């Protein structure tokens, strides 16, 4: 027999886990995107050596499992004297991961900028930086915004792995509760629904931000 | 003293010799039409005049300033040379007003109010005063091109380069853009047009430059060049387009 009421005594554990997951995801999303945008500019317009370094980083992260990256940061780095708390290691792993994927996504947006936009900036006397920030960046992000949104949601869902290094997130809560009351079905079902809820919420938030950022399309 | 001075300019794309020693002087207030078949180098020559393209030999000066492709030099030059493109190149995320005000505020460091007044005056000039708050994608091609003209004029250039600016327009919209050009010509603006509008070149232009195989093949007063072409190449060209 299923018994969801058996979860009730542990509701505070779930709530705590949910808050942790929201916190780390929010922080990782903001930092990851800022870093990703910076790397994308470096990769697309930077000097060859800089572009190459960014490329190596991107490929390294995109072609290795997230959990291995996480373990390397949490268990591996202390060997060379860099000791991090589980929470710190988790955040860093997520930022490093999202930054790599978003670098590639944002770079694609920048690369798709019509040459004419750069030339128009040039003949009006704008510098490279002014053209990039005032002319190029917003339409470039608009083009890849759906892909960027999905990537951020993937990273949020991927934060479940952080429970493996004892970050007390939502998945950690589910593991904890089902080990106490042996209600695995109920525990993981509720957890899955909470992740689903977070994912939907995140997509809505991104859509809302997108509407403001790209308001020039809204009145179509 | 001429405003634009082009002396023995050569340009190569790799092994391809596109401009083969161009000499051309343009006086302030002149309206020059550069005509010729595609591939004759006319757009390339225009793009060399404001540093969008590099040339390998010779020299170009505009308003006494040497033209190079160095960013800093291009930016200085942008204050005296305006350019309008075939594909308009308006900034899609900015309103018409913001498109026009952008460069005057961040390049010429004008106050927002001053830039706004200029923008409105320029829009008035091109007949689009009511479009200040519209976004470019809401406008027709002809309107977008007129906004692009207003945007270039807001920088108060000494010479305006027009690179086939009516070629991407529906035929019924071409007239509106040409009317604006004609008005500018009357007001004494120096215009250099790469164009396929032969009637405009003949009736409004002062001088026509016919380019062929990377050279200035023939040039002269607009009406004369069309009425009495000296070379077979120009005769053929005129017959094929008129």
């Amino acid at each position: 027999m299923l018994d969801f009421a058996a979860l009730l005594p542990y509701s505070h554990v779930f709530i705590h886990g949910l808050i942790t997951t929201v916190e780390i995801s929010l922080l990782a999303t903001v930092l990851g995107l800022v870093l990703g945008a910076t790397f994308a500019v470096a990769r697309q317009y930077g000097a060859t050596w800089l572009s190459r370094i960014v490329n190596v980083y991107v490929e390294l992260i995109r072609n290795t499992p997230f959990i291995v990256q996480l373990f390397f940061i949490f268990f591996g780095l202390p060997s060379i004297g860099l000791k991090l708390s589980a929470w710190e290691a988790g955040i860093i792993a997520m930022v490093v991961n999202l930054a790599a994927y978003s670098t590639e996504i944002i770079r694609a947006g920048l690369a798709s900028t019509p040459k004419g936009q750069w030339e128009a900036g040039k003949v009006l006397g704008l510098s490279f930086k002014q053209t990039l920030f005032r002319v190029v960046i917003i339409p470039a992000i608009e083009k890849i915004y759906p892909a960027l949104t999905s990537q951020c949601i993937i990273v949020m869902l991927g934060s479940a792995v952080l429970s493996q290094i004892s970050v007390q997130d939502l998945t950690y809560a589910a593991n904890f509760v089902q080990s106490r009351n042996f209600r695995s079905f109920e525990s993981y079902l509720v957890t899955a629904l909470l992740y689903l809820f977070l994912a939907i919420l995140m997509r809505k938030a991104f859509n809302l931000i997108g509407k403001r950022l790209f308001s020039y399309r809204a009145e179509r | 003293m001429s405003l634009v001075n082009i002396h023995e300019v050569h340009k190569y794309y790799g092994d391809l010799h596109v401009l083969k020693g161009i000499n051309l002087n343009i006086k302030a207030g002149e309206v020059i039409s550069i005509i010729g078949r595609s591939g004759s180098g006319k757009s390339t020559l225009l793009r060399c005049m404001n540093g969008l393209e590099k040339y390998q030999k010779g020299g170009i000066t505009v308003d006494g300033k040497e033209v190079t492709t160095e960013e800093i030099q291009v930016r200085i030059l942008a204050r005296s040379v305006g350019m309008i493109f075939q594909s308009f190149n308006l900034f899609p995320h900015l309103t018409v007003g913001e498109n026009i005000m952008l460069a005057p505020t961040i390049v010429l460091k004008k106050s927002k109010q001053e830039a706004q007044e200029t923008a409105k005056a320029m829009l008035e000039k091109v007949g689009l005063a009511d479009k200040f708050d519209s976004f470019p994608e809401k406008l027709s091609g002809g309107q977008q091109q007129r906004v692009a003209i207003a945007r270039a004029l807001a920088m108060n250039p000494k010479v305006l380069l027009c690179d086939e600016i009516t070629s991407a327009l529906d035929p019924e919209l071409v007239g509106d853009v040409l009317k604006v050009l004609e008005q500018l010509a009357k007001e004494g603006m120096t215009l250099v047009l790469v164009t396929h509008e032969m009637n405009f070149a003949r009736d409004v232009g002062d001088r026509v430059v016919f380019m062929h195989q990377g050279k200035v093949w023939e040039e002269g007063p607009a009406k004369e060049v069309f009425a009495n072409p000296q070379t077979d190449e120009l005769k053929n060209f005129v017959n094929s387009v008129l």
Side-chain angles (χ1 to χ4, degrees), chain A residues 15 40 49 73-74 79 81 83 122 128 138 140 142 156 179 192 214 216-217 220:
Chain A
I15 290 170
W49 63 268
I73 291 171
F74 187 62
S79 307
K83 213 165 154 20
K122 224 175 186 181
F128 170 82
I138 295 279
E142 187 205 353
M156 182 277 286
S179 72
F214 317 123
Y216 56 100
R217 302 281 185 209
R220 216 174 245 194

PDB file of all heavy atoms in Angstrom, chain A residues 15 40 49 73-74 79 81 83 122 128 138 140 142 156 179 192 214 216-217 220:
ATOM      1  N   ILE A  15      11.613  20.490   2.509  1.00  0.00           N
ATOM      2  CA  ILE A  15      11.636  21.947   2.311  1.00  0.00           C
ATOM      3  C   ILE A  15      13.073  22.473   2.358  1.00  0.00           C
ATOM      4  O   ILE A  15      13.496  23.267   1.513  1.00  0.00           O
ATOM      5  CB  ILE A  15      10.745  22.652   3.359  1.00  0.00           C
ATOM      6  CG1 ILE A  15       9.278  22.342   3.062  1.00  0.00           C
ATOM      7  CG2 ILE A  15      10.988  24.169   3.346  1.00  0.00           C
ATOM      8  CD1 ILE A  15       8.309  22.776   4.136  1.00  0.00           C
ATOM      9  N   ALA A  40      32.546  33.372 -24.188  1.00  0.00           N
ATOM     10  CA  ALA A  40      32.072  33.359 -25.575  1.00  0.00           C
ATOM     11  C   ALA A  40      32.695  34.509 -26.355  1.00  0.00           C
ATOM     12  O   ALA A  40      33.135  34.333 -27.495  1.00  0.00           O
ATOM     13  CB  ALA A  40      30.552  33.446 -25.620  1.00  0.00           C
ATOM     14  N   TRP A  49      45.473  32.735 -29.198  1.00  0.00           N
ATOM     15  CA  TRP A  49      45.858  31.931 -28.023  1.00  0.00           C
ATOM     16  C   TRP A  49      44.731  31.878 -27.001  1.00  0.00           C
ATOM     17  O   TRP A  49      44.441  30.849 -26.414  1.00  0.00           O
ATOM     18  CB  TRP A  49      47.155  32.488 -27.402  1.00  0.00           C
ATOM     19  CG  TRP A  49      47.035  33.902 -26.868  1.00  0.00           C
ATOM     20  CD1 TRP A  49      47.305  35.049 -27.542  1.00  0.00           C
ATOM     21  CD2 TRP A  49      46.610  34.292 -25.561  1.00  0.00           C
ATOM     22  NE1 TRP A  49      47.068  36.141 -26.745  1.00  0.00           N
ATOM     23  CE2 TRP A  49      46.643  35.699 -25.517  1.00  0.00           C
ATOM     24  CE3 TRP A  49      46.203  33.589 -24.428  1.00  0.00           C
ATOM     25  CZ2 TRP A  49      46.279  36.431 -24.387  1.00  0.00           C
ATOM     26  CZ3 TRP A  49      45.838  34.322 -23.291  1.00  0.00           C
ATOM     27  CH2 TRP A  49      45.884  35.726 -23.273  1.00  0.00           C
ATOM     28  N   ILE A  73      36.721  17.841  -8.282  1.00  0.00           N
ATOM     29  CA  ILE A  73      36.838  19.086  -7.521  1.00  0.00           C
ATOM     30  C   ILE A  73      36.768  18.817  -6.018  1.00  0.00           C
ATOM     31  O   ILE A  73      37.558  19.345  -5.233  1.00  0.00           O
ATOM     32  CB  ILE A  73      35.723  20.080  -7.950  1.00  0.00           C
ATOM     33  CG1 ILE A  73      35.990  20.559  -9.378  1.00  0.00           C
ATOM     34  CG2 ILE A  73      35.664  21.258  -6.992  1.00  0.00           C
ATOM     35  CD1 ILE A  73      34.846  21.364  -9.970  1.00  0.00           C
ATOM     36  N   PHE A  74      35.852  17.939  -5.608  1.00  0.00           N
ATOM     37  CA  PHE A  74      35.632  17.716  -4.171  1.00  0.00           C
ATOM     38  C   PHE A  74      36.654  16.758  -3.554  1.00  0.00           C
ATOM     39  O   PHE A  74      37.211  17.020  -2.504  1.00  0.00           O
ATOM     40  CB  PHE A  74      34.217  17.189  -3.935  1.00  0.00           C
ATOM     41  CG  PHE A  74      33.871  17.091  -2.476  1.00  0.00           C
ATOM     42  CD1 PHE A  74      33.851  18.223  -1.663  1.00  0.00           C
ATOM     43  CD2 PHE A  74      33.567  15.860  -1.905  1.00  0.00           C
ATOM     44  CE1 PHE A  74      33.539  18.122  -0.316  1.00  0.00           C
ATOM     45  CE2 PHE A  74      33.253  15.763  -0.551  1.00  0.00           C
ATOM     46  CZ  PHE A  74      33.238  16.894   0.240  1.00  0.00           C
ATOM     47  N   SER A  79      44.009  16.923  -2.598  1.00  0.00           N
ATOM     48  CA  SER A  79      45.344  16.324  -2.716  1.00  0.00           C
ATOM     49  C   SER A  79      46.397  17.350  -3.097  1.00  0.00           C
ATOM     50  O   SER A  79      47.578  17.169  -2.815  1.00  0.00           O
ATOM     51  CB  SER A  79      45.345  15.219  -3.781  1.00  0.00           C
ATOM     52  OG  SER A  79      44.321  14.303  -3.507  1.00  0.00           O
ATOM     53  N   GLY A  81      46.059  20.423  -2.086  1.00  0.00           N
ATOM     54  CA  GLY A  81      45.955  21.449  -1.051  1.00  0.00           C
ATOM     55  C   GLY A  81      44.760  22.382  -1.169  1.00  0.00           C
ATOM     56  O   GLY A  81      44.675  23.373  -0.455  1.00  0.00           O
ATOM     57  N   LYS A  83      41.194  22.576  -0.385  1.00  0.00           N
ATOM     58  CA  LYS A  83      40.111  21.892   0.297  1.00  0.00           C
ATOM     59  C   LYS A  83      38.850  22.742   0.288  1.00  0.00           C
ATOM     60  O   LYS A  83      38.859  23.894   0.700  1.00  0.00           O
ATOM     61  CB  LYS A  83      40.522  21.604   1.743  1.00  0.00           C
ATOM     62  CG  LYS A  83      39.922  20.322   2.266  1.00  0.00           C
ATOM     63  CD  LYS A  83      40.612  19.857   3.526  1.00  0.00           C
ATOM     64  CE  LYS A  83      39.706  18.999   4.398  1.00  0.00           C
ATOM     65  NZ  LYS A  83      38.562  18.385   3.761  1.00  0.00           N
ATOM     66  N   LYS A 122      30.611  50.341 -37.296  1.00  0.00           N
ATOM     67  CA  LYS A 122      31.907  50.896 -37.683  1.00  0.00           C
ATOM     68  C   LYS A 122      31.763  52.243 -38.381  1.00  0.00           C
ATOM     69  O   LYS A 122      32.443  53.205 -38.038  1.00  0.00           O
ATOM     70  CB  LYS A 122      32.585  49.910 -38.633  1.00  0.00           C
ATOM     71  CG  LYS A 122      34.046  49.667 -38.359  1.00  0.00           C
ATOM     72  CD  LYS A 122      34.531  48.582 -39.309  1.00  0.00           C
ATOM     73  CE  LYS A 122      35.957  48.187 -38.986  1.00  0.00           C
ATOM     74  NZ  LYS A 122      36.436  47.153 -39.920  1.00  0.00           N
ATOM     75  N   PHE A 128      34.804  48.790 -31.237  1.00  0.00           N
ATOM     76  CA  PHE A 128      34.456  47.378 -31.174  1.00  0.00           C
ATOM     77  C   PHE A 128      33.582  47.092 -29.953  1.00  0.00           C
ATOM     78  O   PHE A 128      32.532  46.454 -30.054  1.00  0.00           O
ATOM     79  CB  PHE A 128      35.734  46.531 -31.111  1.00  0.00           C
ATOM     80  CG  PHE A 128      35.467  45.091 -30.803  1.00  0.00           C
ATOM     81  CD1 PHE A 128      35.082  44.217 -31.805  1.00  0.00           C
ATOM     82  CD2 PHE A 128      35.576  44.618 -29.502  1.00  0.00           C
ATOM     83  CE1 PHE A 128      34.821  42.882 -31.520  1.00  0.00           C
ATOM     84  CE2 PHE A 128      35.320  43.286 -29.208  1.00  0.00           C
ATOM     85  CZ  PHE A 128      34.936  42.422 -30.211  1.00  0.00           C
ATOM     86  N   ILE A 138      22.393  41.899 -27.723  1.00  0.00           N
ATOM     87  CA  ILE A 138      20.989  41.560 -27.441  1.00  0.00           C
ATOM     88  C   ILE A 138      20.379  40.695 -28.554  1.00  0.00           C
ATOM     89  O   ILE A 138      19.839  39.625 -28.273  1.00  0.00           O
ATOM     90  CB  ILE A 138      20.156  42.849 -27.207  1.00  0.00           C
ATOM     91  CG1 ILE A 138      20.647  43.564 -25.956  1.00  0.00           C
ATOM     92  CG2 ILE A 138      18.675  42.527 -27.116  1.00  0.00           C
ATOM     93  CD1 ILE A 138      20.128  43.027 -24.648  1.00  0.00           C
ATOM     94  N   ALA A 140      21.930  38.838 -30.558  1.00  0.00           N
ATOM     95  CA  ALA A 140      22.659  37.557 -30.566  1.00  0.00           C
ATOM     96  C   ALA A 140      22.080  36.621 -29.504  1.00  0.00           C
ATOM     97  O   ALA A 140      21.858  35.442 -29.760  1.00  0.00           O
ATOM     98  CB  ALA A 140      24.149  37.798 -30.314  1.00  0.00           C
ATOM     99  N   GLU A 142      19.131  36.796 -28.225  1.00  0.00           N
ATOM    100  CA  GLU A 142      17.756  36.455 -28.576  1.00  0.00           C
ATOM    101  C   GLU A 142      17.702  35.176 -29.419  1.00  0.00           C
ATOM    102  O   GLU A 142      16.845  34.320 -29.219  1.00  0.00           O
ATOM    103  CB  GLU A 142      17.114  37.611 -29.347  1.00  0.00           C
ATOM    104  CG  GLU A 142      15.637  37.385 -29.581  1.00  0.00           C
ATOM    105  CD  GLU A 142      15.097  38.130 -30.779  1.00  0.00           C
ATOM    106  OE1 GLU A 142      15.821  38.930 -31.371  1.00  0.00           O
ATOM    107  OE2 GLU A 142      13.937  37.891 -31.123  1.00  0.00           O
ATOM    108  N   MET A 156      20.304  22.792 -13.568  1.00  0.00           N
ATOM    109  CA  MET A 156      19.537  22.770 -12.319  1.00  0.00           C
ATOM    110  C   MET A 156      19.170  21.326 -11.969  1.00  0.00           C
ATOM    111  O   MET A 156      19.368  20.872 -10.840  1.00  0.00           O
ATOM    112  CB  MET A 156      18.278  23.636 -12.469  1.00  0.00           C
ATOM    113  CG  MET A 156      17.405  23.762 -11.235  1.00  0.00           C
ATOM    114  SD  MET A 156      16.245  22.398 -10.993  1.00  0.00           S
ATOM    115  CE  MET A 156      15.041  22.771 -12.280  1.00  0.00           C
ATOM    116  N   SER A 179      15.428   6.305   3.458  1.00  0.00           N
ATOM    117  CA  SER A 179      16.251   5.405   4.264  1.00  0.00           C
ATOM    118  C   SER A 179      15.705   5.314   5.689  1.00  0.00           C
ATOM    119  O   SER A 179      16.003   4.376   6.417  1.00  0.00           O
ATOM    120  CB  SER A 179      17.704   5.884   4.281  1.00  0.00           C
ATOM    121  OG  SER A 179      17.797   7.044   5.080  1.00  0.00           O
ATOM    122  N   ALA A 192      10.563  13.911  -7.587  1.00  0.00           N
ATOM    123  CA  ALA A 192      10.509  14.117  -9.036  1.00  0.00           C
ATOM    124  C   ALA A 192       9.539  15.241  -9.386  1.00  0.00           C
ATOM    125  O   ALA A 192       9.830  16.110 -10.220  1.00  0.00           O
ATOM    126  CB  ALA A 192      10.097  12.825  -9.737  1.00  0.00           C
ATOM    127  N   PHE A 214      13.772  41.296 -24.900  1.00  0.00           N
ATOM    128  CA  PHE A 214      13.515  41.345 -26.343  1.00  0.00           C
ATOM    129  C   PHE A 214      12.156  41.970 -26.617  1.00  0.00           C
ATOM    130  O   PHE A 214      11.411  41.509 -27.468  1.00  0.00           O
ATOM    131  CB  PHE A 214      13.586  39.941 -26.948  1.00  0.00           C
ATOM    132  CG  PHE A 214      14.737  39.128 -26.427  1.00  0.00           C
ATOM    133  CD1 PHE A 214      14.529  37.904 -25.810  1.00  0.00           C
ATOM    134  CD2 PHE A 214      16.035  39.601 -26.530  1.00  0.00           C
ATOM    135  CE1 PHE A 214      15.602  37.165 -25.320  1.00  0.00           C
ATOM    136  CE2 PHE A 214      17.109  38.875 -26.033  1.00  0.00           C
ATOM    137  CZ  PHE A 214      16.885  37.649 -25.434  1.00  0.00           C
ATOM    138  N   TYR A 216      11.320  44.372 -28.193  1.00  0.00           N
ATOM    139  CA  TYR A 216      11.134  44.871 -29.556  1.00  0.00           C
ATOM    140  C   TYR A 216      10.411  43.873 -30.446  1.00  0.00           C
ATOM    141  O   TYR A 216       9.964  44.203 -31.516  1.00  0.00           O
ATOM    142  CB  TYR A 216      12.468  45.275 -30.181  1.00  0.00           C
ATOM    143  CG  TYR A 216      13.525  44.199 -30.206  1.00  0.00           C
ATOM    144  CD1 TYR A 216      13.780  43.471 -31.346  1.00  0.00           C
ATOM    145  CD2 TYR A 216      14.282  43.931 -29.060  1.00  0.00           C
ATOM    146  CE1 TYR A 216      14.758  42.497 -31.371  1.00  0.00           C
ATOM    147  CE2 TYR A 216      15.271  42.959 -29.071  1.00  0.00           C
ATOM    148  CZ  TYR A 216      15.499  42.237 -30.230  1.00  0.00           C
ATOM    149  OH  TYR A 216      16.466  41.288 -30.235  1.00  0.00           O
ATOM    150  N   ARG A 217      10.348  42.628 -29.993  1.00  0.00           N
ATOM    151  CA  ARG A 217       9.604  41.628 -30.765  1.00  0.00           C
ATOM    152  C   ARG A 217       8.177  41.490 -30.255  1.00  0.00           C
ATOM    153  O   ARG A 217       7.317  40.993 -30.941  1.00  0.00           O
ATOM    154  CB  ARG A 217      10.266  40.254 -30.638  1.00  0.00           C
ATOM    155  CG  ARG A 217      11.684  40.215 -31.089  1.00  0.00           C
ATOM    156  CD  ARG A 217      11.777  40.151 -32.595  1.00  0.00           C
ATOM    157  NE  ARG A 217      13.164  39.986 -32.985  1.00  0.00           N
ATOM    158  CZ  ARG A 217      13.664  40.409 -34.106  1.00  0.00           C
ATOM    159  NH1 ARG A 217      12.913  41.034 -34.976  1.00  0.00           N
ATOM    160  NH2 ARG A 217      14.926  40.216 -34.395  1.00  0.00           N
ATOM    161  N   ARG A 220       4.622  42.400 -31.972  1.00  0.00           N
ATOM    162  CA  ARG A 220       4.380  41.860 -33.291  1.00  0.00           C
ATOM    163  C   ARG A 220       2.899  41.625 -33.533  1.00  0.00           C
ATOM    164  O   ARG A 220       2.203  41.133 -32.675  1.00  0.00           O
ATOM    165  CB  ARG A 220       5.119  40.538 -33.441  1.00  0.00           C
ATOM    166  CG  ARG A 220       5.650  40.347 -34.816  1.00  0.00           C
ATOM    167  CD  ARG A 220       6.493  39.087 -34.843  1.00  0.00           C
ATOM    168  NE  ARG A 220       7.870  39.474 -35.110  1.00  0.00           N
ATOM    169  CZ  ARG A 220       8.804  38.580 -35.471  1.00  0.00           C
ATOM    170  NH1 ARG A 220       8.521  37.335 -35.570  1.00  0.00           N
ATOM    171  NH2 ARG A 220      10.016  38.999 -35.713  1.00  0.00           N
TER     172      ARG A 220
END
